[in-house]
Amino acid sequence: MSQTQHVSLLFFLENRNEKRTQSLHGPSPVTTFGPKACMLQNPHAVMHIQDPASQRLTWNKPPKSVLVIKKIRDASLLQPFKELCIFLTEVKNMIVYVEKKVLEDPAISDDENFGAITKKFCTFREDLDDISNRVDFIICLGGDGTLLYASSLFQESVPPVMAFHLGSLGFLTPFKFDTYQSQVTQIIEGNAAIVLRSRLKVRVLKENWEKKARVDEKGIILTNGDIESSRKALQYQVLNEVVVDRGPSSYLSNVDLFLDGHLITTVQGDGVIVSTPTGSTAYAVAAGASMIHPNVPAIMITPICPHSLSFRPIVVPAGVELKIMLSCDARNTAWVSFDGRKRQEICHGDSITITTSCFPVPSICFRDPVNDWFESLAQCLHWNVRKKQNYLSSEDEEF
């Protein structure tokens, strides 16, 4: 089977919601990103595991549209946002997409000089307008949250994302805004380094219980009725992590964790984190997990304050399917969130199915995937920062 046929098969299975053939390897990631971007193919590559440094972005056609995501209610981003939008529309002749609520900021809507530029924008509303086939690439202004938000807007193929560090941490935002014009120009010209950040495909199946009252011909209620159930399915694409926790309850969280249909353990504690390699440096690392480079095909399972001395975080292959359910003897419900959003209650009978998605987020690198990652570890998390040990001279050795 050719690679194209393999990807087409994965698309078919994703759309049909059928159970994927079990494999320890994750699904082959789609290598087309939005309408015009794709990954540059390396004809000399003979290994299935590609060298991260060889992952390059190229364009099938010159990009014409760009989505600009700005952190809401941050006055420090107003001037960079305006400068970037003027540059994209006036100098680069790009079609600029901006979320409608961004333009409702009085600091933008009341600016008469900027008003002529905003009239050229294409606007959209989250969860109401589909822009998946309109945007060629994305520019984020803010912190890591802007990249997570960009991911949430695209439930299938994601356009390439260029993230500028204008927030607090900036682990996922490698670009500095000082030289944005030359950097954006270089991306538009193509052939930039990218890292494919895998996402989790999450399906939440909720059991809805309803009482059906029995009514006679005159409309009089005869009994309270029988309880009937119906199932409601929700799907999400998650870049960082799925967090299942005990919510406001004072009891331990008590959830069963299945891997490929087999019960592997019961989590008793504050909860559990299921994260991507990208998410391993977020909530998971704060809970004691290891940090995984985003090119590693894996899923990390990290307990939150487990009531056990031997429950350590584990890494499982990207191709497995995880399932989380409330234990039958759980004293309380649980709560789940996806990249910190869409928080909802999980009751008895509900289930959360998690596996690796074939729609990654193509994140544009400042240099390359390896150097950018270690630079972020050093600058943002101060990884292995320690005072250097003094040199031992020959005189010291005598003592």
Side-chain angles (χ1 to χ4, degrees):
M1 181 184 291
S2 68
Q3 184 177 3
T4 303
Q5 291 172 323
H6 183 53
V7 172
S8 299
L9 177 60
L10 287 171
F11 268 118
F12 175 76
L13 293 180
E14 288 273 343
N15 293 334
R16 290 263 324 242
N17 289 325
E18 294 181 2
K19 189 175 182 66
R20 192 177 65 237
T21 302
Q22 295 300 327
S23 170
L24 292 182
H25 302 287
S28 298
V30 173
T31 55
T32 55
F33 317 117
K36 298 175 183 174
C38 64
M39 192 162 70
L40 185 66
Q41 299 299 317
N42 183 2
H44 302 294
V46 294
M47 296 179 64
H48 292 292
I49 302 174
Q50 189 175 7
D51 177 7
S54 69
Q55 294 180 345
R56 310 289 298 181
L57 172 70
T58 188
W59 300 102
N60 295 323
K61 297 178 181 178
K64 295 294 183 183
S65 60
V66 56
L67 167 61
V68 178
I69 295 179
K70 169 191 165 295
K71 186 179 179 182
I72 304 295
R73 295 183 297 275
D74 191 335
S76 66
L77 297 180
L78 290 173
Q79 192 57 36
F81 172 74
K82 294 177 181 179
E83 287 183 21
L84 175 64
C85 291
I86 292 173
F87 173 73
L88 291 171
T89 54
E90 300 295 315
V91 179
K92 294 300 181 182
N93 296 316
M94 302 285 291
I95 300 172
V96 176
Y97 282 81
V98 177
E99 192 170 5
K100 194 171 184 179
K101 65 183 179 182
V102 172
L103 300 183
E104 292 172 352
D105 187 338
I108 295 177
S109 59
D110 296 342
D111 189 340
E112 296 180 358
N113 295 328
F114 192 59
I117 299 296
T118 59
K119 291 179 181 179
K120 300 179 182 180
F121 292 165
C122 294
T123 60
F124 70 97
R125 294 164 295 175
E126 183 187 7
D127 296 331
L128 294 177
D129 300 317
D130 183 13
I131 59 172
S132 56
N133 292 320
R134 304 180 194 174
V135 175
D136 293 333
F137 73 105
I138 305 169
I139 296 179
C140 295
L141 302 177
D144 295 343
T146 57
L147 186 63
L148 296 175
Y149 182 67
S151 168
S152 71
L153 294 175
F154 297 88
Q155 292 303 298
E156 291 189 353
S157 178
V158 184
V161 183
M162 182 182 192
F164 285 95
H165 177 24
L166 292 168
S168 53
L169 185 62
F171 194 91
L172 307 178
T173 54
F175 289 93
K176 293 180 172 57
F177 194 75
D178 299 341
T179 56
Y180 75 92
Q181 293 188 3
S182 61
Q183 291 172 340
V184 171
T185 299
Q186 182 178 351
I187 300 308
I188 293 175
E189 291 174 353
N191 198 24
I194 58 171
V195 56
L196 299 185
R197 299 187 179 276
S198 65
R199 295 195 291 179
L200 299 174
K201 178 187 173 185
V202 185
R203 187 167 184 259
V204 180
L205 201 59
K206 308 203 77 171
E207 200 81 49
N208 294 328
W209 299 93
E210 296 181 355
K211 281 190 175 182
K212 300 292 184 180
R214 293 175 58 192
V215 183
D216 67 6
E217 296 177 355
K218 297 181 180 180
I220 300 175
I221 298 176
L222 300 178
T223 66
N224 288 333
D226 299 325
I227 297 177
E228 295 185 5
S229 68
S230 60
R231 309 198 91 181
K232 178 182 178 183
L234 303 169
Q235 291 202 37
Y236 305 94
Q237 295 281 336
V238 177
L239 178 57
N240 258 2
E241 73 273 302
V242 178
V243 177
V244 179
D245 60 68
R246 60 190 175 95
S249 173
S250 59
Y251 291 113
L252 288 174
S253 174
N254 196 337
V255 296
D256 292 334
L257 179 61
F258 299 84
L259 191 150
D260 288 343
H262 302 285
L263 177 65
I264 57 172
T265 192
T266 297
V267 180
Q268 297 183 96
D270 280 355
V272 63
I273 305 166
V274 179
S275 59
T276 64
T278 294
S280 71
T281 52
Y283 192 177
V285 76
S290 296
M291 296 178 289
I292 306 175
H293 188 277
N295 275 110
V296 177
I299 298 175
M300 171 159 277
I301 302 170
T302 307
I304 307 171
C305 297
H307 199 250
S308 167
L309 296 177
S310 59
F311 196 169
R312 305 303 303 157
I314 60 171
V315 178
V316 297
V320 303
E321 181 181 85
L322 300 173
K323 189 174 185 179
I324 299 175
M325 298 182 69
L326 271 181
S327 297
C328 59
D329 55 353
R331 295 183 179 183
N332 56 288
T333 61
W335 289 77
V336 62
S337 61
F338 314 94
D339 285 342
R341 308 179 78 217
K342 310 289 186 182
R343 187 167 170 81
Q344 54 197 270
E345 191 174 16
I346 299 298
C347 303
H348 285 283
D350 299 346
S351 65
I352 306 166
T353 304
I354 305 170
T355 190
T356 300
S357 169
C358 64
F359 298 107
V361 174
S363 182
I364 300 174
C365 302
F366 178 69
R367 285 188 291 176
D368 62 72
V370 175
N371 280 294
D372 281 12
W373 193 67
F374 278 101
E375 183 74 14
S376 293
L377 287 183
Q379 296 297 323
C380 300
L381 299 182
H382 302 291
W383 178 62
N384 197 27
V385 173
R386 181 193 184 277
K387 185 178 180 181
K388 286 283 187 179
Q389 189 178 50
N390 291 333
Y391 171 73
L392 187 63
S393 65
S394 57
E395 294 178 357
D396 294 329
E397 291 179 353
E398 297 178 358
F399 297 97

